[in-house]
Each structure stands twice: as structure tokens, then as C-alpha cells.
């Protein structure tokens, strides 16, 4: 019982000494200690939310991996840009052919006229056959 | 950056092709006037293609411009297969020598002067020949 009383008395003395030291701490040091404590508590709360799962946890996780997300976005934008550019190249090539075809002396209808194409083949064949050996 | 890489003959207009005829600039409407009634029914890439043609149109010779105006509507009304076939035959002929290309032009102008019944006779003969060739291939394949 005497041992117990001694222990209580020792704890009371320690508290008294600590309280005296707290009172003598510089105001700036006290403010820094308070900020550090608040940051530690806030970080602990964030970790608790992230590990608890759910939408908020996912958002926190994405936020922490924002660099990877930005890289993915850049990749998607690049792929989309390439697709647009490729389509434009194909359209430009098609426009070039169609413009040449439509402005040519020979009407596009000639290439679809089976009679003309057959006539052309027959005359070409005839010319080849009549060439001197 | 894309625009900077585009060919010199291309403008930003052909990257975006409005579906409404009324949204086209006045100069494009004038050039593409034969397509006004079909414009809205064309697929996006075909509208872009026609805008690309309209961009190049002012640099064409007047006679070529006239031909494009006359043939635009007929061309647009062809089936995709017909357009594809015409492009392929045209490209094949462009690979031939200049003398052969000149001969094709000459023959086409001669063919155009043939009476209609003569042209029809040639078409019928070509169709008959194609049918017999196809059945011969079928029999050979059996």
C-alpha cells in the first residue's frame, strides 16, 4: 500500500514538472508542435478512409496516383490525335483521287460502262495481235 | 500541332464538316452547290472529303472545274462499290504509258459518238461474255 502511494506521488510530481516546462515553452515552438500533431492526426484519418474502401477511398487512391493518371490521359489523347490525323490523311488521299477522276477528260462513267470496257479490251487485243512479230 | 503537320493544300475547314448545309461557308456552298440536297445524308468522312475538294477547287483549270460541277451529283449517287470500281480502273489506267492513256481518251470520245443502240449491243455482249466466263469458272471449280 505504501508502494502504491509512492507511485502516485511520483506521477503527480512528474506531471507538475511537465506542466511547469510547458508553461515555459516558447510560443512559436508550441505552435509548431500543435501543427505537427494536427497533421499527424489528419494523415491518420486519411489512411483510415482509404483502407476502409468505397468511393472516397478510391478518390484518395487516385489522388495519390495522379502522376500515373496524367500519363494515361496523355496516352489516350495521343491515341485520339493519331486517329484524327490518320482519318484526315485518308480523306485527303481520297479527295485527291476523286478530284482527278471527276476532272479528267474521260468521264468516271466510262469505267463503269461494261460496253466501253469490253470495247477497249477488244481493241487492245486486236492491236496486240496485229503487231509485227 | 495537327494543323501544323497538315499538308500545305489543307485547311482547318476539312477537319470539321458541318452536317447542315446552311452551316457551310458561302464559298463552299457555291462550289458544292450540286450536292446541297444530299449533303445532310452524307457520312462525316465524305463531307470532309468534299470540303477538301472544295479547298483545292479554286486552283483547278476552268474546264476541269466545269467537269467537276457536271459530274459531282452523279458521282455521289453511285453505290460505294461502283465508286470503288471506278477508282480502281482509273488508277490502273494512270499507271499505263502516256500514249496508252491518250489512246483511252481518244477511244472514249469515239465511243461517246456511237449510236445508243450500238452502245447497248456492246453492253449486252459484255454482260453475256461475263456470264459465260463466270459459269466456265464455276464448272472448272467443280
Amino acid at each position: 500500500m505504501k508502494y502504491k502511494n509512492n507511485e502516485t506521488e511520483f506521477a503527480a510530481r512528474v506531471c507538475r514538472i511537465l506542466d511547469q516546462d510547458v508553461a515555459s515553452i516558447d510560443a512559436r515552438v508550441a505552435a509548431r508542435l500543435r501543427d505537427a500533431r494536427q497533421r499527424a492526426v489528419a494523415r491518420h484519418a486519411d489512411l483510415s478512409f482509404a483502407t476502409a474502401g468505397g468511393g472516397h477511398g478510391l478518390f484518395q487512391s487516385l489522388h495519390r496516383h495522379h502522376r500515373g493518371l496524367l500519363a494515361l490521359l496523355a496516352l489516350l489523347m495521343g491515341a485520339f490525335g493519331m486517329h484524327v490525323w490518320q482519318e484526315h490523311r485518308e480523306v485527303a488521299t481520297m479527295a485527291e483521287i476523286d478530284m482527278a477522276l471527276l476532272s479528267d477528260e474521260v468521264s468516271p462513267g466510262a469505267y463503269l460502262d461494261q460496253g466501253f470496257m469490253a470495247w477497249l479490251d477488244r481493241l487492245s487485243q486486236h492491236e496486240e495481235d496485229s503487231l509485227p512479230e | 500541332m495537327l494543323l501544323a503537320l497538315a499538308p500545305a493544300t489543307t485547311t482547318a475547314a476539312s477537319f470539321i464538316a458541318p452536317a447542315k448545309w446552311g452551316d457551310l461557308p458561302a464559298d463552299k456552298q457555291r462550289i458544292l452547290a450540286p450536292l446541297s440536297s444530299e449533303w445532310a445524308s452524307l457520312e462525316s468522312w465524305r463531307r470532309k472529303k468534299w470540303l477538301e475538294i472544295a479547298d483545292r477547287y479554286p486552283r483547278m483549270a476552268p474546264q476541269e472545274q466545269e467537269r467537276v460541277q457536271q459530274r459531282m451529283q452523279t458521282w455521289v449517287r453511285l453505290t460505294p462499290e461502283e465508286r470503288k470500281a471506278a477508282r480502281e480502273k482509273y488508277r490502273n489506267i494512270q499507271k499505263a504509258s502516256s500514249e496508252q492513256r491518250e489512246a483511252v481518251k481518244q477511244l472514249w470520245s469515239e465511243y461517246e459518238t456511237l449510236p445508243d443502240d450500238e452502245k447497248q449491243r456492246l453492253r449486252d455482249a459484255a454482260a453475256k461474255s461475263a456470264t459465260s466466263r463466270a459459269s466456265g469458272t464455276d464448272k472448272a471449280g467443280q
Side-chain angles (χ1 to χ4, degrees), chain A residues 73-85:
Chain A
L73 269 175
L75 194 71
L76 287 174
M77 282 173 70
F80 179 72
M82 282 299 291
H83 168 75
V84 170
W85 177 242

Side-chain angles (χ1 to χ4, degrees), chain A residues 40-62:
Chain A
V41 169
R43 192 175 302 158
H44 178 74
D46 283 352
L47 282 172
S48 301
F49 272 118
T51 51
H56 191 65
L58 179 67
F59 177 77
Q60 293 291 342
S61 178
L62 288 176

Side-chain angles (χ1 to χ4, degrees), chain A residues 4-125:
Chain A
K4 183 82 176 172
N5 284 342
N6 283 345
E7 194 182 327
T8 310
E9 193 179 331
F10 176 74
R13 281 181 64 194
V14 168
C15 284
R16 213 163 35 243
I17 291 165
L18 283 174
D19 284 347
Q20 282 168 2
D21 285 349
V22 165
S24 64
I25 285 177
D26 183 74
R28 281 184 301 176
V29 174
R32 283 175 60 192
L33 284 169
R34 191 172 58 246
D35 288 348
R37 183 179 175 280
Q38 282 173 349
R39 277 202 302 274
V41 169
R43 192 175 302 158
H44 178 74
D46 283 352
L47 282 172
S48 301
F49 272 118
T51 51
H56 191 65
L58 179 67
F59 177 77
Q60 293 291 342
S61 178
L62 288 176
H63 180 68
R64 274 205 301 282
H65 296 101
H66 68 281
R67 285 191 180 185
L69 197 65
L70 281 176
L72 182 68
L73 269 175
L75 194 71
L76 287 174
M77 282 173 70
F80 179 72
M82 282 299 291
H83 168 75
V84 170
W85 177 242
Q86 183 63 29
E87 189 197 46
H88 182 73
R89 290 284 300 269
E90 284 170 13
V91 164
T93 306
M94 193 69 88
E96 198 171 334
I97 296 169
D98 284 9
M99 200 176 75
L101 187 56
L102 292 173
S103 62
D104 197 66
E105 284 177 63
V106 179
S107 159
Y111 306 111
L112 300 173
D113 190 319
Q114 297 303 317
F116 175 64
M117 294 315 286
W119 197 50
L120 197 63
D121 285 345
R122 208 170 60 197
L123 288 176
S124 308
Q125 193 62 47

Side-chain angles (χ1 to χ4, degrees), chain B residues 8-9 19 27 31 33 50 52 57 62 70-71 76 85 87-88 90 95 101 106 113 116 118 124:
Chain B
T9 52
D27 61 327
I31 295 167
W50 282 110
E52 185 79 30
Y57 184 88
Q70 285 168 354
R71 295 166 179 172
V76 121
R87 286 186 193 112
E88 276 174 13
Y90 173 77
K95 286 178 199 161
R101 290 202 304 272
Q106 185 63 36
T113 61
D116 285 346
E118 177 66 10
D124 292 343

Side-chain angles (χ1 to χ4, degrees), chain B residues 15-31:
Chain B
F15 272 101
I16 303 157
K20 281 186 187 171
W21 175 256
D23 291 343
L24 285 183
D27 61 327
K28 300 285 187 289
Q29 284 191 9
R30 185 182 54 77
I31 295 167

